[in-house]
Amino acid sequence: MSTCPDPTSGRQPDFLDAKASLALLGVRPQTLYAYVSRGAIRSVPQPGTKAHLYSRSDIERVVARAAARAGHAAAAAGAMDHGPPIVSSGITEITEAGPAYRGYLASDLARQGVPFERVCELLWGAPLDVDRASAWRIPPRDQALAREAGLRILHGADPHRVYGSLAMLALQLERTLRMSGGGAQDAGVAQEARLLICAVAQALGCVGPARALTLPDRSESIASTLIRSFGCETTPARIRAVNALLVLLADHELPPGTLAVRAAASGGANLFDCIAVGICASAGTEIAGHYAVVDRFLTARPSATALRDKALRLHQRAQRIPGFTHPLYMGGDPRARHLLAIAAELADDSFNMRQVTDFVGWAQENLADHPRHEFAVVCLVRALRLPVWSAAVFFLVARMAGWAAHVEEQRSVTGLWRPRARYVPRP
C-alpha cells in the first residue's frame, strides 16, 4: 500500500502503512500493535487483504507526547497539534461523550431541546435557566444599527463566499455602534455577543433568496430566524433540528478559530474584532470550507455503492474520507451520531438518507472509520432542504457563542498570549 501523497492533491497522506508507521514512531511492530490495542492509534483494515493502515495524526500525537517527556521545549512543540493542553479553561471539556459546556454535556442539552440562546448564556457564565423565555431582548436603537450594518455588508453577497462578509459585518457593527453612541459599546461580552448573533441571523436574509433582512417576530428564536433567512419555512421539527445543531457546535476547545480569538483578545481587541478574526481563521478548506468538500463527496454519486467505491479509492491513496476521522474521538464523534439520527428522521425522497446510513455503517464495520460532525451537518442540511452553503454558516454562527466565552475568559488573564517559535535554519 502506497503511503505517498496523491500527486494530484499535493497533500500528505492521512494514513500510513505499517512500514512508514514504524519508521515515524521509531518502535518495533509489537509496540505499534500495543498502541493500537490501547486505542492510542487507529488502525484501518484494508478490505480484501490482511493489511492495515494507521492514522498519521494519531501517530504524530504519540510522537509528540513521547517527546514531551524529554523536556518543556519538546512538550510545547507538540502541544499545538492535539498534544498536551496549553490553556487552562473552564468553558468546555472534551469527553468521550462529546463536548461538555461548564459541566453540561452538549448532547444532553441538544436532546432536551434547551434553546441555543440559553446555551450561549451558559457558556458566557450564567446559570442554566431553561424555563426563561428564549428570545433575546436587544435595545431597539442597537437593533436598528445592527440591521443597517448587516444590510450594508451582506446585501447581494455571494452565499458561497459569505465568510468574508460575516467578518466584515462584525467589524462594521462595532464601528457603527461606536460612531453613533450605541449602547453596546459600553456593554459586557454577553450583551455584545447577543447583538452580533442576532444581527448575523437577520442579515443572512440578504444572502438568501429574499435578498432582504429577515425581521424576527418578538419571541422568535435564533434557529427560526436562520431558517427563514435561508429561504425555508419554519416548522417545529425544523426549529428543533437547527437548535440542536447550533447547541452541538457552540464550542469545542481550541481549534484554529478559537486560538486566533484568544490571541486577539489577549492583545486587547474588542469582541467584534475578535469574532472577525475567528471567522477568517475558520474560513479555509479544513474547517468551514470542509462542508462543501463533504457535500461534493456525498452528492456527486449518492448511492451507497458509489460512496463505498469512492471511500475505497481514497483509502488506497492513504487519504481520509471527507467528514470522517476525528482525532479527539477514537470511537466516533458523538455530535455526528446525534445529528445523523435527526437527519434520518427528517429526510424525505429529495435526499436518500437510507443510502448514506448504509454507507456509514459499512465504513464503521469495514474501515473502522467514523463520521465527524461536518458529515452529519451536511446530511442534516440536505434533509431539511436548506441550501448547502448554510452548513458552514450554521457552524460559524454557533461558534460565535463559544468564541465570546473565550474572549471573556482570556480577558481575565494578564499578558499577551503567544507561543514561542524555534528557529530552524533551512538549506
Side-chain angles (χ1 to χ4, degrees), residues 43 174 271 285 337:
S43 170
E174 187 274 334
L271 174 78
T285 56
R337 286 195 291 270

Side-chain angles (χ1 to χ4, degrees), residues 94-403:
I94 303 303
T95 76
E96 291 185 358
Y101 307 147
R102 301 194 186 276
Y104 293 87
L105 275 176
S107 57
D108 288 345
L109 297 171
R111 192 175 297 108
Q112 295 163 11
V114 177
F116 173 61
E117 292 84 344
R118 298 287 78 79
V119 173
C120 289
E121 291 166 2
L122 170 67
L123 287 167
W124 302 335
L128 183 63
D129 184 358
V130 298
D131 295 326
R132 189 157 56 90
S134 61
W136 280 334
R137 297 288 181 259
I138 306 296
R141 185 184 180 203
D142 287 349
Q143 189 72 281
L145 292 169
R147 289 171 181 159
E148 177 186 338
L151 186 62
R152 185 161 54 247
I153 296 296
L154 266 75
H155 185 65
D158 181 353
H160 296 283
R161 299 180 181 273
V162 73
Y163 319 135
S165 298
L166 292 179
M168 287 299 297
L169 172 55
L171 294 171
Q172 180 64 37
L173 183 56
E174 187 274 334
R175 284 147 183 76
T176 300
L177 292 167
R178 173 163 45 82
M179 292 177 64
S180 65
Q185 66 181 24
D186 298 319
V189 163
Q191 185 174 335
E192 291 175 334
R194 280 194 292 268
L195 176 60
L196 176 59
I197 292 172
C198 287
V200 168
Q202 296 169 32
L204 283 166
C206 297
V207 191
R211 295 287 174 173
L213 286 167
T214 303
L215 301 181
D217 296 333
R218 182 173 177 80
S219 59
E220 188 169 22
S221 67
I222 295 296
S224 177
T225 303
L226 285 169
I227 293 169
R228 292 200 296 119
S229 286
F230 296 139
C232 293
E233 294 183 4
T234 58
T235 66
R238 276 182 170 167
I239 293 173
R240 284 194 299 271
V242 170
N243 185 78
L245 188 161
L246 294 172
V247 167
L248 289 169
L249 302 189
D251 193 47
H252 201 260
E253 206 186 44
L254 293 176
T258 309
L259 286 170
V261 164
R262 292 192 76 120
S266 78
N270 64 56
L271 174 78
F272 301 98
D273 289 350
C274 290
I275 297 297
V277 167
I279 294 169
C280 292
S282 303
T285 56
E286 292 299 314
I287 307 177
H290 194 58
Y291 295 95
V293 177
V294 173
D295 187 73
R296 288 194 295 271
F297 173 81
L298 271 175
T299 58
R301 293 170 61 204
S303 72
T305 301
L307 292 173
R308 292 173 191 172
D309 290 343
K310 289 188 286 186
L312 285 172
R313 287 198 297 272
L314 286 168
H315 271 260
Q316 289 167 359
R317 298 201 301 266
Q319 304 293 355
R320 61 186 170 93
I321 305 167
F324 274 63
T325 316
H326 198 294
L328 294 182
Y329 299 113
M330 306 295 286
D333 188 340
R335 298 169 299 172
R337 286 195 291 270
H338 187 82
L339 293 174
L340 285 171
I342 297 175
E345 292 177 2
L346 297 179
D348 55 22
D349 293 338
S350 65
F351 181 66
N352 197 335
M353 192 62 199
R354 184 181 297 276
Q355 295 284 329
V356 174
T357 301
D358 289 346
F359 165 69
V360 168
W362 172 86
Q364 293 175 156
E365 181 177 351
N366 293 276
L367 301 179
D369 210 353
H370 305 273
R372 300 162 53 113
H373 82 271
E374 294 96 335
F375 188 90
V377 169
V378 170
C379 289
L380 181 56
V381 160
R382 286 291 185 178
L384 291 171
R385 295 191 179 185
L386 294 169
V388 65
W389 59 269
S390 68
V393 174
F394 278 132
F395 164 76
L396 292 173
V397 173
R399 194 53 54 89
M400 288 177 189
W403 287 340

